[in-house]
Amino acid sequence: MVRIGIMGLTGCSGCQCEILNCQEALLKMLKRVSINFFPLAQDDNSLEDLDILFVEGSVTTEEDERKVKKGREVSSLLVAIGSCACYGGVQSQRNDEVSLTEMVKAVYGEKGVPVKVSKPRAVSEVVEVDYELPGCPLDKKQFVYTVASLLSGVKPFFPKIPVCHECKLSENECLILKGIPCQGPVTFSGCGAPCTSAGVGCQGCRGNCDFPNFEEMVSLLTQRGLSVEDAVKFLKVFRGYTAKEIKVRGVVDEKGA
Ligand code: SF4
Ligand code: SF4
């Protein structure tokens, strides 16, 4: 039996719920794997001697850091799941705009918070990560594919091509051509383009595709009615630490990016 763990750090637990939503596939998987650590879903948990550990959430507290370091020590492979674990997530979008002290004070007042918090970090900023499955939440088909590949001794492969590619495969009419803001041209596909297929512009939840052209993306968004500043904010929502790449037209300087 392959020993698996599923750990949650700072996040909404949505990715862990998506794993539970795998239903039939999860039941089939249980014939080949034992889930030794999954505190969200079971009472008996052991964080020892794992073959694969899936980690959801950003590293935001001392407890997160301690847990993920211990997880890395006891696992042969570590897979970051969801955009919080891969990029820092929504909670990291303002990391470089406001100081942590100012944020804590604005939200909790002078008393502060009872736990020691740091700026939200991607898991790869703290420990070595073998694979990343981004998305908000992660795509459950990619989770099943990853487990199936690893069980077969095959390295999972995720080409970092844009969501536009999946729109074309679905024969969607391009939303940008219809005047709707969409981040598909700079976003890592693999989700099957559910948002654009439903007529909603891609929000960029899976992070960057290879070679994203942010300057051109901002130009397209401003032609669809957004100000340059709003276009940059739109692009930063899910990109976490990679938001530093979105420096266009001098609007976002070193301090604000
Ligand atoms: S709708 Fe968005 S993702 Fe789809 S082709 Fe147009 S720009 Fe690309
Ligand atoms: S279309 Fe965009 S926002 Fe929607 S799931 Fe895919 S990457 Fe995320």
Side-chain angles (χ1 to χ4, degrees), residues 33-98:
V33 308
S34 68
I35 300 182
N36 291 9
F37 184 83
F38 193 1
L40 183 83
Q42 62 190 27
D43 289 331
D44 269 347
N45 293 291
S46 164
L47 189 56
E48 298 293 339
D49 199 18
L50 299 172
D51 296 301
I52 315 167
L53 176 65
F54 293 90
V55 179
E56 174 208 77
S58 62
V59 183
T60 302
T61 63
E62 278 185 339
E63 174 67 0
D64 287 342
E65 187 162 342
R66 187 194 62 72
K67 268 165 64 178
V68 78
K69 283 182 172 166
K70 163 89 196 261
R72 178 69 271 188
E73 262 171 46
V74 301
S75 306
S76 304
L77 288 176
L78 189 147
V79 183
I81 55 169
S83 294
C84 298
C86 297
Y87 312 128
V90 172
Q91 60 269 37
S92 71
Q93 67 180 293
R94 300 186 72 82
N95 265 0
D96 299 307
E97 292 181 7
V98 190

Side-chain angles (χ1 to χ4, degrees), residues 135-137 139 163 166 182-184 187-197 200-207 238:
C136 190
D139 184 86
V163 172
E166 290 184 322
C182 178
Q183 299 185 31
T187 301
F188 182 6
S189 62
C191 53
C195 305
T196 51
S197 300
V200 178
C202 170
Q203 307 292 299
C205 84
R206 291 176 49 82
F238 285 103

